[in-house]
Amino acid sequence: MTVFVIRRLMQALLVVFLMSVIVFFGVNIVGDPVYMLVSPDADQADIAATIERLGLDRPIHEQYWLFLKGAAQGDLGNSFIFGEPALQLILHHMPATMELAFTALMLAIVIGIPLGLYAGLYPDNPISKGIMAGSILGFSLPTFWVGLMLIMLFAVELGWVPATGRGDLGTFLGIESSLFTRDGLSHIFLPALNLALLKISLAIRLTRAGVREAMGQDYVKYARAKGLSTRRIIFVHVMKNIMIPVVTVMGLEFGSLIGFSVVTETIFAWPGMGKLLIDAILQLDRPVVVAYLMIIVLFFVLINLIVDILYSLLDPRVRLQDQGT
């Protein structure tokens, strides 16, 4: 197990380094932020001073080397627009994105797995067919359109929940979140549901496929022959086996919920990292864009590592195959 974890850590470090090269050079060769930071009436001396202050007069490889040295010390540069450390700006907006992604993941698990289980156990039932048709819609409908429709229906027409904003914050066990207040929950419901729809559909189809495959396996037939109850067969034998791919995929999807919540945060004016990224792109605030992308890369790598370890604990054959290669 130790060798397995060390090998995965080395692979993770290599991925982070390669992505830092791609992200830094990809962002820094696009556009010129200087002319967005200086007055239209600025002369060449002011422009040159701004370029020197931002370090943009240095060769790109030297800028990257300075970026690496700063990143090793936890410094991802200062925002061109706000004049604050980019990492500090990202961390300030991170709690809002994390609670939105966590709520969306919980909705996907709580709604998707039971519906997928039902559809897998009763595939010919009209309700099951309706569930699978709904899952196709969840994959097909664009997120921005669904978000606008949710606002029109629940916020504008019915007036049940607010359309935008994060709501009041509450504190529990030293953790501050909008999930701890009624107003916060009412604000997070629509954006979390909008973000979760695709993952609900994915959970439904994963669970259904796993149940259909497991119900035909010999261990299920043997359990029935022993006289075990259907409830025990499903929740002890079937669910234990189908949860391996479900845990793996949903764990990786949590990273995508964090990284790709940009559209949802923009539609619902949710003050998270995604909205900050859009503002930074529009203003060519390179350090913030690079810091955001690197943090998302670290999230994906960390989540992959955790999922790999969990997978190896659930199925030791993974460790053995890895050692065999």
Side-chain angles (χ1 to χ4, degrees):
M1 186 64 183
T2 302
V3 174
F4 176 83
V5 172
I6 292 175
R7 184 172 298 176
R8 286 292 185 268
L9 280 172
M10 293 175 64
Q11 293 173 354
L13 291 174
L14 178 61
V15 169
V16 170
F17 172 72
L18 293 177
M19 287 305 299
S20 73
V21 175
I22 296 172
V23 166
F24 186 86
F25 284 90
V27 171
N28 281 274
I29 62 175
V30 177
D32 188 353
V34 175
Y35 292 96
M36 299 187 69
L37 300 174
V38 298
S39 170
D41 300 327
D43 55 22
Q44 288 300 317
D46 292 334
I47 295 175
T50 302
I51 292 175
E52 184 179 358
R53 177 172 58 84
L54 298 178
L56 300 178
D57 57 329
R58 300 178 180 181
I60 188 67
H61 64 274
E62 186 176 339
Q63 294 181 42
Y64 176 67
W65 173 244
L66 293 174
F67 167 77
L68 279 185
K69 289 173 63 177
Q73 301 172 359
D75 180 10
L76 297 178
N78 290 330
S79 167
F80 292 163
I81 305 300
F82 300 99
E84 300 178 18
L87 183 59
Q88 181 178 317
L89 283 172
I90 298 292
L91 294 179
H92 177 72
H93 290 79
M94 184 182 294
T97 296
M98 293 296 292
E99 68 184 30
L100 179 61
F102 176 77
T103 304
L105 182 65
M106 290 300 102
L107 286 176
I109 293 173
V110 171
I111 297 175
I113 292 179
L115 290 180
L117 180 62
Y118 184 89
L121 293 174
Y122 310 103
D124 298 324
N125 190 299
I127 297 178
S128 299
K129 294 180 179 179
I131 291 172
M132 297 312 297
S135 71
I136 294 175
L137 286 177
F139 277 113
S140 306
L141 297 177
T143 301
F144 70 90
W145 182 84
V146 174
L148 294 175
M149 292 303 102
L150 289 175
I151 291 175
M152 289 293 296
L153 177 60
F154 291 103
V156 178
E157 296 294 333
L158 299 176
W160 288 355
V161 290
T164 59
R166 189 182 179 190
D168 296 334
L169 303 181
T171 303
F172 181 72
L173 297 178
I175 301 175
E176 189 177 56
S177 172
S178 63
L179 298 176
F180 302 140
T181 65
R182 171 180 284 187
D183 183 64
L185 289 173
S186 67
H187 278 80
I188 202 174
F189 174 72
L190 286 185
L193 179 61
N194 183 54
L195 190 60
L197 284 178
L198 176 61
K199 311 309 175 186
I200 291 173
S201 301
L202 180 61
I204 288 173
R205 301 189 77 84
L206 276 174
T207 306
R208 181 189 181 276
V211 170
R212 296 302 302 153
E213 181 180 359
M215 294 303 289
Q217 297 297 316
D218 290 339
Y219 67 85
V220 173
K221 298 176 182 178
Y222 180 68
R224 284 176 173 165
K226 287 174 60 179
L228 297 180
S229 65
T230 302
R231 183 184 184 89
R232 180 174 177 81
I233 292 173
I234 293 172
F235 290 101
V236 175
H237 297 281
V238 174
M239 290 298 291
K240 180 180 179 181
N241 284 276
I242 70 171
M243 286 308 292
I244 293 177
V246 172
V247 166
T248 303
V249 174
M250 296 309 291
L252 296 176
E253 289 301 314
F254 181 64
S256 70
L257 287 172
I258 297 172
F260 304 117
S261 61
V262 176
V263 174
T264 297
E265 291 185 3
T266 303
I267 292 173
F268 293 92
W270 189 262
M273 296 189 298
K275 190 173 184 303
L276 176 66
L277 174 66
I278 294 296
D279 295 338
I281 291 174
L282 293 176
Q283 297 172 324
L284 288 180
D285 197 347
R286 290 176 178 174
V288 174
V289 177
V290 172
Y292 173 87
L293 294 176
M294 287 307 304
I295 288 175
I296 295 303
V297 168
L298 288 174
F299 264 120
F300 270 97
V301 169
L302 181 61
I303 290 172
N304 265 289
L305 180 62
I306 293 173
V307 168
D308 280 345
I309 294 173
L310 289 177
Y311 205 128
S312 68
L313 293 175
L314 291 171
D315 188 355
R317 292 174 297 179
V318 174
R319 297 198 302 268
L320 296 176
Q321 293 172 0
D322 186 76
Q323 291 173 1
T325 59

